[in-house]
């Protein structure tokens, strides 16, 4: 019975559509003829054969489209409901997803390497076995070998051999143009309030901002013109709030880039957050040095797929930059760099092809250990950017 009813309803819809097309064709003919006789004939035909339709259209000023849609909606009212529901639902869901992703990105950045640091022994082993000296480029052409020895992929995201291909990662030229004037490197801090074990309250020079200024000083000494931006983006009304720090930082940094078109490299320098019993330090040339970690956002999560809201046209450039930095770090200072960390969001890596997000040390490191790390990092940057 239900099948018969549906068939009848569909048949009636087809009939209505057929009548609509017939009237459209007739209307066009009448417009061409411009004949009073034809109009009278058409009117008489409508009155005679379809009187209800004629008088209804007359009441609605001859709007056949409006009449047809009303009849179809009356017959199938759920169509209007479904259409409105889908449009409203998509807009609301997209807006909520966007806000959720931005807030989650800010929260995640406070403890970016939490998964890796659940086991201190695993962290040490990772640093020891990731040495570039132990693996030829030929071996690293195997995706699984490359991934297991040089990367940590966060559980929120995925990556494949199309993005992590050694030959492609090495093919991109990371050298800067030193023949022109103006600053070449910009260092800034999305999280300006990150401090260390012996930081002095109220003294920005003993926080990540002071460490960034020290790195800029070292790069300038090596002939790489560097700007340091001490803008604050993680305080709102005097209170720590990192939920929108990346949004605010983007506005400030883009303004600097617009004013300084000579800049080719952008570095967002962070300090990691780890358990209080974990000390990210290694000894190099007789000095205690805080470990660093290069960090990449892939703008892709397992839950949402590619995140259009956080589009980054430079993901492959970012991956090449961090990989080349990792190779030089391990070649010159084995154990200095932890494995490259890959996570699902974008962070601050979309404003320039040569962009780095660096996690330097943690809250358990001292300011002296951090400065020792910047001495080595400046050397690595020089090797990659200048050669």
């Amino acid at each position: 019975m239900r099948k018969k009813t549906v068939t009848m309803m569909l048949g009636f819809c087809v009939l209505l559509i057929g009548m609509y097309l017939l009237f459209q064709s007739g209307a066009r003919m009448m417009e061409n003829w411009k004949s009073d006789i034809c109009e009278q004939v058409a009117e008489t035909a409508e009155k005679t054969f379809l009187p209800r339709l004629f008088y209804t259209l007359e009441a609605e000023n001859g709007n056949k489209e409006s009449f047809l849609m009303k009849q179809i909606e009356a017959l199938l009212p759920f169509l209007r409901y479904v259409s409105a529901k889908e449009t409203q639902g998509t807009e609301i869901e997209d807006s909520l997803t966007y806000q959720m992703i931005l807030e989650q990105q800010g929260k995640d950045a406070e403890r970016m390497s939490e998964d890796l640091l659940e086991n201190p022994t695993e962290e040490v082993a990772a640093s020891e076995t990731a040495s570039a000296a132990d693996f030829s480029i030929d071996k690293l052409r195997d995706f699984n070998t490359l991934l297991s020895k040089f990367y940590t992929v966060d559980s929120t995201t995925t990556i494949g051999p199309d993005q992590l291909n050694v030959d492609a990662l090495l093919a991109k030229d990371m050298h800067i143009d030193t023949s022109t004037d103006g600053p070449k490197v910009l260092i800034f801090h999305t999280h300006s309030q990150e401090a260390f074990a012996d930081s002095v309250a109220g003294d920005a020079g003993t926080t990540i901002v002071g460490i960034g200024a020290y790195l800029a000083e070292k790069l300038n000494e090596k002939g790489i013109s560097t700007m340091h931006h001490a803008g604050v983006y993680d305080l709102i009304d005097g209170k720590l709030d990192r939920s929108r720090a990346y949004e605010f930082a983007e506005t400030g940094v883009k303004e600097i880039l617009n004013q300084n078109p000579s800049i080719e490299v952008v570095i967002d320098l962070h300090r990691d957050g780890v358990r209080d019993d974990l000390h990210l330090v290694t000894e190099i040339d007789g000095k205690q040095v805080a470990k660093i970690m290069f960090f990449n956002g892939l703008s892709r999560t397992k839950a949402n797929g590619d995140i259009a809201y956080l589009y980054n046209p430079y993901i492959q450039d970012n991956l090449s930059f961090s990989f080349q930095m990792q190779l030089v770090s391990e070649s010159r200072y084995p154990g200095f760099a932890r494995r490259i960390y890959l996570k699902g969001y974008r962070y601050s890596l979309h404003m320039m092809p040569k962009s780095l997000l660096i996690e330097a040390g943690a809250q358990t490191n001292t300011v002296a250990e951090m400065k020792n790390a910047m001495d080595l990092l400046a050397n690595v940057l020089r090797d990659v950017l200048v050669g």
Side-chain angles (χ1 to χ4, degrees):
M1 182 66 181
R2 181 179 300 174
K3 182 176 181 181
K4 183 178 180 181
T5 301
V6 171
T7 302
M8 292 176 64
M9 292 171 65
L10 292 175
F12 184 63
C13 287
V14 172
L15 177 62
L16 288 176
I17 293 172
M19 288 190 296
Y20 168 71
L21 295 175
L22 176 63
F23 284 129
Q24 285 287 78
S25 177
R28 284 193 296 271
M29 291 174 64
M30 287 188 286
E31 288 175 2
N32 293 332
W33 292 337
K34 299 294 183 181
S35 169
D36 292 339
I37 296 176
C38 290
E39 290 179 1
Q40 291 175 4
V41 170
E43 182 175 316
T44 301
E46 288 182 355
K47 286 182 179 179
T48 303
F49 296 105
L50 295 168
R52 181 174 180 274
L53 178 61
F54 172 80
Y55 290 110
T56 300
L57 291 173
E58 188 176 57
E60 296 187 5
N61 299 318
N63 191 334
K64 302 179 182 64
E65 291 87 348
S66 174
F67 172 77
L68 181 61
M69 288 307 300
K70 285 183 179 180
Q71 300 308 307
I72 293 176
E73 288 179 355
L75 183 64
L76 302 170
F78 70 89
L79 289 177
R80 187 193 307 181
Y81 169 78
V82 170
S83 177
K85 184 74 173 177
E86 286 181 349
T87 301
Q88 181 183 26
T90 300
E91 291 174 353
I92 293 174
E93 182 181 74
D94 286 353
S95 177
L96 291 176
T97 301
Y98 180 52
Q99 291 302 320
M100 177 195 72
I101 286 174
L102 289 179
E103 291 179 6
Q104 190 61 43
Q105 174 178 259
K107 292 176 182 177
D108 283 356
E110 295 184 36
R111 189 184 173 94
M112 291 182 173
S113 56
E114 182 175 3
D115 291 347
L116 179 63
L117 299 177
E118 285 303 310
N119 187 337
T121 303
E122 180 182 341
E123 164 68 11
V124 173
S127 295
E128 291 177 349
T129 59
S131 175
D134 296 335
F135 298 94
S136 66
I137 296 301
D138 186 57
K139 289 183 178 179
L140 294 179
R141 287 192 175 98
D142 177 73
F143 171 71
N144 291 325
T145 299
L146 174 64
L147 190 67
S148 64
K149 300 302 181 182
F150 285 87
Y151 291 90
T152 294
V153 183
D154 188 82
S155 59
T156 62
T157 194
T158 60
I159 195 166
D162 56 327
Q163 285 186 297
L164 289 187
N165 177 288
V166 166
D167 294 306
L169 293 173
L170 292 176
K172 288 188 178 291
D173 185 4
M174 291 297 147
H175 291 105
I176 58 175
D177 184 2
T178 57
S179 65
T180 58
D181 295 330
K184 301 300 179 183
V185 177
L186 171 66
I187 300 171
F188 76 102
H189 313 275
T190 301
H191 297 160
S192 65
Q193 304 305 299
E194 293 172 333
F196 304 98
D198 56 349
S199 293
V200 178
D203 181 3
T206 62
T207 68
I208 192 64
V209 174
I211 298 304
Y214 182 80
L215 175 60
E217 177 185 331
K218 292 301 174 181
L219 288 173
N220 280 309
E221 289 177 0
K222 297 179 186 303
I224 301 174
S225 182
T226 303
M227 286 182 64
H228 178 244
H229 176 51
V232 176
Y233 301 108
D234 53 350
L235 287 180
I236 297 180
D237 297 328
K239 296 182 179 180
L240 184 66
D241 186 343
R242 292 174 175 162
S243 62
R244 299 186 64 189
Y246 283 93
E247 291 180 81
F248 297 148
E250 179 179 354
T251 301
V253 171
K254 280 189 173 180
E255 184 176 348
I256 295 173
L257 295 178
N258 289 334
Q259 295 172 356
N260 299 274
S262 61
I263 293 176
E264 298 182 48
V265 178
V266 175
I267 300 174
D268 187 2
L269 187 63
H270 288 253
R271 176 229 70 191
D272 206 351
V274 301
R275 297 193 315 272
D276 290 337
D277 63 343
L278 188 59
H279 193 193
L280 297 177
V281 67
T282 186
E283 184 176 321
I284 298 176
D285 296 333
K287 296 181 179 180
Q288 294 296 296
V289 179
K291 293 185 178 185
I292 65 170
M293 180 175 71
F294 303 112
F295 185 97
N296 286 102
L298 301 178
S299 293
R300 179 196 307 121
T301 64
K302 289 181 179 178
N304 298 289
D306 291 336
I307 306 174
Y309 310 119
L310 302 179
Y311 176 66
N312 179 1
Y314 306 124
I315 290 179
Q316 284 303 127
D317 298 272
N318 300 159
L319 289 169
S320 293
F321 198 5
S322 62
F323 180 68
Q324 291 183 33
M325 289 288 291
Q326 185 81 5
L327 285 179
V328 174
S329 295
E330 287 298 332
S331 176
R332 292 196 60 169
Y333 312 112
F336 173 47
R338 298 150 64 193
R339 288 189 293 183
I340 301 171
Y341 201 87
L342 306 179
K343 200 151 187 173
Y345 303 119
R346 181 179 66 184
Y347 304 101
S348 55
L349 296 165
H350 61 296
M351 293 180 278
M352 189 74 68
K354 296 184 184 72
S355 291
L356 285 176
L357 195 160
I358 304 173
E359 291 285 332
Q363 84 280 5
T364 53
N365 288 103
T366 66
V367 173
E369 291 167 349
M370 293 299 299
K371 288 186 174 181
N372 290 339
M374 295 304 101
D375 291 334
L376 305 188
L377 179 59
N379 291 336
V380 175
L381 282 165
R382 179 195 57 199
D383 288 354
V384 174
L385 298 177
V386 181

